[in-house]
Amino acid sequence: KIAASFSLTMASDPTSLTASSVDASATLKSAHIWEVTSPLPITPSGKGHHFLPSQLTPSRFGRRRRLSVEVHGVNSIFDSSTVVNGDYDGRANLNNPLNNVPEVCYVRVLEQRAKVLEPIAAHIKDDAKKAKKGTTNFFAGSVRRKGGDDYDSDDGTFMESFRDEERRKPSAEDWYPKYKISLRMFRVVEKKKRSIIVGFEARGDSSHREFIFEDEAAMEEFCATIETNKKLMDSRSKTHLDMALGGIKLKKDEQLTLLFDICSGLNLPKSDVVGHSDPYVIVRFDGKKIHKTGVTLNQENPIWTLRKGALFIWKVDALELFQSEEGLVLEVKDFDTIGSNESLGAFNISAHTLYKWNGERRKYALKPLAGQKDFKTGSIALRVRRATDYDIEFM
């Protein structure tokens, strides 16, 4: 019933679930929502299959949740009106047919924000230490921090990695996004009469949660939706991986250690009113920053040196690299002491090129990211090769 009426919910409340709340470069294509209850994990770490019976959960620990299975179309991070320079292996980002209809699936956990209760100790005069410590849930063995919105033991480092970073304003029903889990990291561990135990898994670690549905039919519908989307995503991922590999045969658990040398820029855009830009380079993989050079002041043709962060070593799982949509993205920005740092352009390097690169110098033209100004000038020269033991020791 919830899933069937989702389109009406979206129309009347665009802030409750939007593409931007999942990924700025993604467009929500479909979503199904289920109302559930999530019992407290008994173990402090939240691991294992031991949960407090829902009827024993104190009423102030609001355990109502919503599970949303969402399919998003992944847009290119580059402006669609420009042709992103292809890599030297002939793979242009926008010429890749997979990039016309790539999709990603998430399971999002939403919670209904209840009024945050002040710890009792907060009302004890001159007892700031106790107030900061918070209250203890003796059933679950977890501590609730003052001002926190998390009522269980989810605050561990592992669960923090699944936090929905784009927490928007709540809908009229006060539902907030809490976790966003990629479908490939989400697993149904056990099915019961009308509940399931699921595992959130990443990098050899995991955490488990139990979700109780309204009835068995709702539970079965959720599991069927998960299974269907897993099959679709697995099929697409295999097609994408085969194309990205281009005949390369990876070894099992192959790891890459690459040495990068960001050499120089040429004819970089002038975004300042007076003088030239103050450029620096940010390197990202799957949206996460892995390196940033230093700033070169007032330079149209900057040269980055060792002191300016030209060299860096990056270790990455080879399979993870080839599974990425955009490969490695390098963006040039203009540093400003006042105001925001403007983007001067960017380019991406495919996994295939990085894997085959043997240290030769290559030049990439800058193109605008989506929503950014196209300066129509500028390029970056760099070198990449496999790092040696000497490189690693030197760095």
Side-chain angles (χ1 to χ4, degrees), residues 20-315:
S20 59
S21 65
V22 176
D23 194 318
S25 60
T27 302
L28 182 63
K29 301 182 72 173
S30 67
H32 292 79
I33 297 179
W34 290 263
E35 297 272 5
V36 297
T37 301
S38 179
L40 281 165
I42 292 178
T43 53
S45 65
K47 296 182 180 180
H49 295 194
H50 306 289
F51 303 92
L52 191 70
S54 57
Q55 60 267 29
L56 296 182
T57 302
S59 59
R60 66 188 177 93
F61 288 87
R63 303 305 301 172
R64 296 297 296 172
R65 297 286 186 265
R66 281 183 176 177
L67 295 180
S68 175
V69 180
E70 305 174 5
V71 176
H72 294 258
V74 181
N75 306 320
S76 172
I77 62 171
F78 294 93
D79 191 324
S80 60
S81 64
T82 63
V83 178
V84 179
N85 31 286
D87 286 327
Y88 285 83
D89 57 8
R91 288 170 175 76
N93 183 281
L94 297 180
N95 292 333
N96 186 337
L98 282 174
N99 284 337
N100 294 327
V101 287
E103 293 179 343
V104 63
C105 186
Y106 295 108
V107 177
R108 295 177 71 218
V109 180
L110 297 95
E111 66 177 347
Q112 194 166 27
R113 179 72 61 86
K115 182 178 179 181
V116 177
L117 300 176
E118 292 291 326
I120 296 176
H123 301 289
I124 302 177
K125 187 177 181 179
D126 300 325
D127 202 343
K129 184 176 181 180
K130 289 185 179 180
K132 184 177 180 181
K133 183 177 180 181
T135 57
T136 302
N137 175 4
F138 294 100
F139 288 103
S142 60
V143 176
R144 182 183 176 200
R145 302 298 178 187
K146 178 181 177 182
D149 63 349
D150 214 343
Y151 302 144
D152 53 30
S153 54
D154 288 352
D155 285 320
T157 302
F158 179 77
M159 289 306 297
E160 281 295 321
S161 65
F162 294 108
R163 283 283 183 181
D164 197 326
E165 297 178 358
E166 297 290 338
R167 293 169 70 91
R168 300 293 180 182
K169 294 181 180 180
S171 66
E173 300 176 87
D174 290 334
W175 285 98
Y176 286 73
K178 185 176 185 180
Y179 297 123
K180 180 185 70 176
I181 306 100
S182 172
L183 192 59
R184 61 188 175 87
M185 298 180 179
F186 184 92
R187 183 169 65 93
V188 177
V189 177
E190 182 181 347
K191 293 169 60 175
K192 299 181 181 180
K193 187 173 181 180
R194 64 183 184 93
S195 70
I196 58 173
I197 294 174
V198 303
F200 305 155
E201 303 174 342
R203 301 185 182 279
D205 203 351
S206 65
S207 185
H208 295 86
R209 293 293 181 273
E210 182 179 17
F211 295 112
I212 303 173
F213 292 78
E214 296 293 338
D215 51 45
E216 187 174 359
M219 182 271 289
E220 291 291 353
E221 182 187 31
F222 174 82
C223 292
T225 302
I226 291 293
E227 186 64 26
T228 298
N229 280 286
K230 274 187 175 289
K231 289 180 179 179
L232 290 173
M233 294 300 119
D234 288 346
S235 176
R236 182 196 171 273
S237 295
K238 185 179 185 305
T239 302
H240 171 83
L241 180 60
D242 290 343
M243 178 174 287
L245 286 170
I248 293 175
K249 302 294 184 182
L250 297 180
K251 300 176 183 177
K252 183 179 179 180
D253 300 325
E254 183 174 352
Q255 303 293 310
L256 299 178
T257 304
L258 303 174
L259 174 66
F260 288 76
D261 180 7
I262 301 175
C263 305
S264 60
L266 180 65
N267 297 326
L268 295 189
K270 175 183 175 181
S271 65
D272 296 332
V273 177
V274 179
H276 298 291
S277 298
D278 305 318
Y280 65 95
V281 180
I282 296 179
V283 186
R284 295 188 180 91
F285 178 66
D286 278 351
K288 297 181 179 179
K289 183 179 72 175
I290 62 173
H291 182 70
K292 183 176 77 171
T293 69
V295 177
T296 58
L297 298 176
N298 195 30
Q299 289 290 331
E300 180 184 15
N301 302 305
I303 296 176
W304 284 278
T305 63
L306 183 60
R307 289 181 178 275
K308 287 291 185 179
L311 298 178
F312 72 97
I313 287 178
W314 182 45
K315 297 181 180 180

